[in-house]
């Protein structure tokens, strides 16, 4: 005879236990996934509550900065700032060493340790040792040209290109030969080598930069409209309530001597 099924159509004991285990195997990961999703959602909402207002504030600040920049930062002002910074950089190159003299370079290269421990330097000099205060004076002249270009003479901005040319010529004609000359160290040591350092290349870079930024400033100044105070004088007087000036006829010498007055166009006195 076939075994009897339990009342209510439920599964036999072993199968019922397997079904409960299977349900738990599915339910536990599902509950963990739901809980994890809930935590992630709460975290995202918390971050959005803090970050979203901050992003809106940053966007408003950027909008205001762009609006103000569009009114204040003109091409002329931007190029003027660039030229001033380049001239200051040119002056700053005089405080940086432009050459160094090392000894025992050949021995270090032969031993293969020059990449780990380079040859010792016995001499380091700045550019002023080669050309004196020439670049300091040149940078000061360039700053004066900037002031002159934006206040009185716009064509003075073209002189910034000449400042760049002089800086390059001084670097190539004076600094480079002096920087590569080992000097008296060649007589006292073996394997002496002189090398140009960052100060030399920075001076050349500033000179080449002035070759471009100077003419750009000159072109921007020539394209910028000139201020016309004569045209704005009448509206300013109208706003202040001042009566406009009426041109008076000038009396000749004879009229002033005789005390006569100029006649009107209709022939009256």
């Amino acid at each position: 005879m076939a075994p009897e099924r339990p009342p209510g159509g439920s599964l036999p004991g072993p199968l019922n236990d397997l079904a409960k285990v299977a349900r738990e195997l599915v339910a536990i990961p599902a509950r963990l996934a739901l809980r994890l999703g809930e935590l992630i959602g709460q975290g995202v909402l918390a971050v959005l509550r803090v970050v979203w207002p901050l992003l809106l504030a940053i966007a408003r600040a950027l909008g205001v900065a762009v609006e103000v920049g569009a009114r204040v930062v003109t091409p002329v002002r931007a190029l003027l700032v660039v030229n001033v910074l380049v001239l200051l950089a040119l002056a700053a190159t005089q405080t940086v060493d432009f050459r160094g003299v090392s000894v025992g370079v050949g021995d270090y290269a032969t031993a293969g340790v020059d990449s780990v421990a380079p040859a010792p330097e016995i001499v380091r000099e700045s550019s002023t040792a080669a050309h004196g205060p020439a670049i300091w004076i040149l940078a000061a002249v360039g700053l004066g040209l900037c002031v002159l270009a934006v206040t009185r003479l716009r064509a003075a901005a073209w002189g910034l290109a000449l400042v760049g040319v002089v800086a390059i010529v001084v670097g190539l004609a004076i600094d480079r030969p002096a920087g590569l000359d080992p000097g008296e160290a060649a007589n006292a040591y073996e394997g002496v080598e002189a090398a140009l350092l960052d100060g030399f290349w920075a001076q050349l870079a500033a000179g080449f930069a002035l070759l471009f930024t100077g003419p750009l400033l000159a072109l921007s100044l020539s394209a910028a409209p000139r201020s016309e105070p004569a045209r704005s004088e009448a509206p300013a007087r109208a706003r202040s309530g001042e009566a406009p000036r009426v041109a008076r006829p000038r009396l000749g010498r004879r009229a002033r001597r005789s005390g006569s007055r100029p006649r009107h166009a209709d022939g009256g006195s």
Side-chain angles (χ1 to χ4, degrees):
M1 293 179 62
E4 295 182 358
R5 294 182 179 180
S10 60
L11 296 175
L15 295 178
N16 191 16
D17 294 338
L18 291 176
K20 290 180 179 180
V21 172
R23 283 196 301 269
E24 291 298 328
L25 290 176
V26 175
I28 291 175
R31 285 195 297 267
L32 291 176
L34 290 174
R35 182 58 180 168
L36 181 61
E38 183 181 358
L39 294 175
I40 292 175
Q42 292 176 356
V44 171
L45 290 176
V47 171
L48 288 178
R49 290 192 188 97
V50 178
V51 174
W52 184 249
L54 182 61
L55 292 177
L56 291 178
I58 293 174
R60 294 192 191 98
L62 289 176
V64 173
V66 170
E67 184 179 355
V68 173
R71 296 194 305 263
V72 176
V73 183
T74 61
V76 171
R77 292 174 180 174
L79 287 171
L80 178 63
V81 171
V82 170
N83 278 277
V84 170
L85 291 178
V86 172
L87 289 169
L88 293 177
L90 179 62
T93 59
Q94 305 309 290
T95 62
V96 182
D97 295 331
F98 91 109
R99 83 172 192 127
V101 179
S102 304
V103 297
V105 177
D107 296 336
Y108 276 75
T110 303
V113 296
D114 53 344
S115 60
V116 179
E121 288 184 344
I122 60 172
V123 175
R124 268 184 173 261
E125 292 179 340
S126 62
S127 300
T128 54
H131 55 244
I135 299 299
W136 291 101
I137 298 173
L138 193 63
V141 170
L143 293 174
L145 290 175
C146 289
V147 175
L148 184 61
V150 297
T151 55
R152 295 179 178 274
L153 184 61
R154 296 185 174 188
W158 291 102
L160 295 174
L162 181 60
V163 172
V165 171
V166 174
I168 295 171
V169 170
V170 169
L172 295 179
I174 299 177
D175 297 343
R176 186 177 182 276
L180 296 178
D181 183 13
E184 298 179 356
N187 300 326
Y189 300 94
E190 294 183 358
V192 177
E193 180 179 335
L196 298 172
L197 302 179
D198 295 338
F200 172 78
W201 303 109
Q203 177 180 321
L204 288 185
F208 279 109
L210 288 173
L211 289 180
F212 295 96
T213 58
L216 285 177
L217 177 60
L219 293 175
S220 298
L221 286 171
S222 61
R226 293 180 179 272
S227 60
E228 298 182 1
R231 293 185 179 181
S232 59
E233 183 179 359
R237 290 183 178 182
R239 288 193 300 269
S240 62
E242 183 181 354
R245 295 179 182 178
V246 179
R248 297 180 179 179
R250 295 182 179 179
L251 300 178
R253 293 182 179 178
R254 295 181 180 179
R256 287 197 298 269
R257 290 176 182 177
S258 61
S260 61
R261 298 180 180 177
R263 296 183 178 181
H264 296 283
D266 55 358
S269 57

